[in-house]
Amino acid sequence: MNKCAYCHNEIHEPHPVVAGKNQDSLVCCSESCVEKVLAFYNFFDRTKIFFFIGLTLFMILLFGSVFLLSLKNMWLGSLLMGSSFGLLGLLVILFPFATPQTFDLLGIQKTISVTRLLGLFVLALGPLLTYWLRL
């Protein structure tokens, strides 16, 4: 059976929608799901640049922390490592973008929830890494 692109429920009456800059063709179960799909794709199109800037900053902090840790500067290296993972967790919570395959498998609504939950774990990993690397 066909599943709704947003809530992933079975579709009894299809509501087609074309969303995103790539003009992806999706099918929803209701008009409310169509509106939510369009809102999510618009959010993605508006904010993906901030997501990529955040990922770039994460990578810079991560490589800087590895460099400092290799120089045996444990205090600053561990602080940068924890900060980089804290930033990554915050990025994933604020911008819950996953792969298209995950959206197909779970639907947009559940994928956003799972992605934000993983972001919380990564956010919590930041201070734990800082503490652990200082030992």
Side-chain angles (χ1 to χ4, degrees):
M1 286 302 259
N2 284 338
K3 300 274 186 168
C4 177
Y6 187 76
C7 66
H8 211 61
N9 291 332
E10 289 186 23
I11 297 175
H12 300 293
E13 182 182 334
H15 295 278
V17 60
V18 176
K21 289 187 178 180
N22 295 337
Q23 299 298 309
D24 295 330
S25 236
L26 304 168
V27 180
C28 294
C29 64
S30 67
E31 282 300 319
S32 67
C33 284
V34 167
E35 291 172 8
K36 292 174 184 175
V37 165
L38 290 173
F40 178 77
Y41 272 82
N42 287 336
F43 173 73
F44 173 75
D45 288 338
R46 282 190 331 266
T47 60
K48 66 183 173 186
I49 188 70
F50 300 114
F51 179 70
F52 291 131
I53 289 170
L55 282 180
T56 303
L57 185 57
F58 160 73
M59 294 301 292
I60 291 169
L61 288 172
L62 183 65
F63 286 125
S65 68
V66 170
F67 178 72
L68 288 171
L69 288 171
S70 70
L71 294 177
K72 304 293 185 213
N73 188 343
M74 300 307 284
W75 184 83
L76 189 56
S78 64
L79 189 63
L80 278 180
M81 179 75 73
S83 298
S84 66
F85 275 88
L87 174 65
L88 181 62
L90 189 63
L91 276 173
V92 172
I93 291 168
L94 293 176
F95 308 111
F97 306 144
T99 63
Q101 294 84 6
T102 309
F103 288 121
D104 291 341
L105 181 66
L106 300 175
I108 294 173
Q109 185 179 30
K110 290 176 188 160
T111 300
I112 289 172
S113 298
V114 168
T115 304
R116 286 189 169 149
L117 182 65
L118 291 173
L120 281 173
F121 286 123
V122 174
L123 182 63
L125 183 65
L128 291 174
L129 273 175
T130 301
Y131 175 74
W132 185 40
L133 289 172
R134 286 186 184 182
L135 294 179

